[in-house]
Amino acid sequence: MRHLQLCMSAASVLLAGAGLVDAQQKSDPAALARKIDQHLAKRQAEAKVAPAPKAEDAEFLRRVTLDLAGRIPTVAETRAFLADTKPDRRRRLIERLLASPRYGTHFAAVYRTLLIPEAGNNFFVRFQQGSFEDWLRLQLTGNVGFDRMTRELLTTPVNDGGPFAGLNFNDGPSPAAFYAAKEFKPESLAAGAARVFLGIRVECAQCHHHPFADWKKEQFWGLAAFFAGIGSQQAGDVLIPAPEQPQKRELTIPGTDTLIKARFLDGKEPDWKKMADRPT
């Protein structure tokens, strides 16, 4: 069940953060799946929604192959699966798909689309998306936890001072395209990170308090201040990263004299010493 831990790591992080899973469930994919099912069943009962019936084997085969491999099953795969009478055939099918090269390739493209949708209309970002997908593929095929993937993405050096540092022209797999896609702007990086990793949209609070939620302007810029040390410079027609200032953890709200220090959205200040001592 090793590969299932990667697919369920995001759910584990969310449930663990809410205190809804114990240590055994974190390390046991089957136990975690049962816990998730319990919460889904509870919400369905509260909403008086009847769950769809269990898919037949042929339906399951097609759906899970499309989901995990991004393609329909071959004739040979279909015949073999339908001829399998062992009770754990579905689990073994999922394991095979997660262990296949197609899984890493498919989900690297899926995550790339979620993380840098700007690649569709930005040539410079599109130029870097190959190295970004290579980096994602390595995380997926290496069974790297979602928390470690996120940490590396959000803490990767953007420009260490070299003439083309952070552009990843020849450096191999890298998440640097995430920063190029956001134009190396702290506010764009904060908005993008909040959408993808927190599941919330806070960018409406960039210029004023959020009209439909409780987010305040100061909360948005406090989050953006985590990226305050990242900037850009023009190189001909291309926007490239300026030398990074890792110790810069505050910024001035545009159009004001208000200086905002980096804070989490709940208002807590980060413990920078503890974070620096934490192993990567």
Side-chain angles (χ1 to χ4, degrees):
M1 302 291 285
R2 182 179 68 86
H3 294 285
L4 289 179
Q5 293 176 353
L6 174 59
C7 289
M8 302 180 74
S9 60
S12 177
V13 168
L14 292 173
L15 291 175
L20 299 177
V21 295
D22 56 30
Q24 179 182 358
Q25 291 164 340
K26 291 179 185 178
S27 60
D28 183 352
L32 178 59
R34 288 192 295 271
K35 191 69 174 181
I36 294 172
D37 286 344
Q38 289 173 7
H39 287 283
L40 291 174
K42 181 181 178 181
R43 291 298 299 273
Q44 289 168 342
E46 291 172 350
K48 298 181 179 179
V49 173
K54 184 177 180 180
E56 296 180 353
D57 282 345
E59 292 176 320
F60 177 81
L61 173 64
R62 179 180 175 86
R63 291 175 184 177
V64 77
T65 306
L66 278 169
D67 186 34
L68 297 181
R71 61 172 178 82
I72 61 174
T74 65
V75 173
E77 289 172 331
T78 302
R79 288 175 174 169
F81 180 73
L82 296 179
D84 190 345
T85 59
K86 294 181 180 179
D88 65 343
R89 58 188 176 279
R90 295 192 178 193
R91 180 189 63 79
R92 287 186 287 107
L93 170 63
I94 292 172
E95 286 281 8
R96 286 198 300 272
L97 290 171
L98 289 174
S100 71
R102 280 292 308 177
Y103 165 70
T105 300
H106 173 53
F107 266 87
V110 170
Y111 283 147
R112 184 262 303 161
T113 301
L114 291 172
L115 289 164
I116 55 169
E118 300 88 348
N121 54 19
N122 185 315
F123 172 79
F124 183 56
V125 178
R126 196 159 59 247
F127 180 76
Q128 291 193 2
Q129 78 176 27
S131 65
F132 189 58
E133 284 195 25
D134 288 342
W135 176 80
L136 287 167
R137 190 180 302 110
L138 286 176
Q139 311 307 301
L140 293 162
T141 57
N143 206 35
V144 175
F146 190 73
D147 56 339
R148 285 179 54 198
M149 288 175 57
T150 304
R151 180 184 299 277
E152 182 174 344
L153 175 67
L154 294 180
T155 61
T156 191
V158 177
N159 185 336
D160 60 6
F164 295 105
L167 298 186
N168 195 53
F169 285 125
N170 298 300
D171 294 336
S174 168
F178 180 76
Y179 295 84
K182 316 306 177 193
E183 297 182 326
F184 311 104
K185 295 180 179 179
E187 60 269 33
S188 298
L189 290 163
R195 282 196 306 272
V196 175
F197 300 116
L198 301 178
I200 55 176
R201 303 183 71 93
V202 296
E203 57 265 39
C204 284
Q206 181 173 339
C207 301
H208 47 71
H209 294 338
H210 200 298
F212 308 118
D214 294 331
W215 305 117
K216 308 301 182 186
K217 184 176 180 180
E218 292 76 15
Q219 287 176 293
F220 173 84
W221 286 102
L223 183 64
F226 281 100
F227 303 98
I230 297 172
S232 64
Q233 55 190 338
Q234 201 73 32
D237 295 331
V238 177
L239 196 65
I240 64 173
E244 190 172 351
Q245 304 176 60
Q247 301 306 313
K248 185 176 181 181
R249 299 160 181 168
E250 58 186 22
L251 50 72
T252 302
I253 297 179
T256 75
D257 295 324
T258 305
L259 187 68
I260 295 288
K261 293 185 177 181
R263 289 178 181 267
F264 298 111
L265 287 175
D266 61 3
K268 294 180 180 178
E269 294 187 24
D271 185 339
W272 294 108
K273 184 179 185 305
K274 184 178 180 180
M275 295 172 69
D277 294 339
R278 183 181 301 168
T280 56

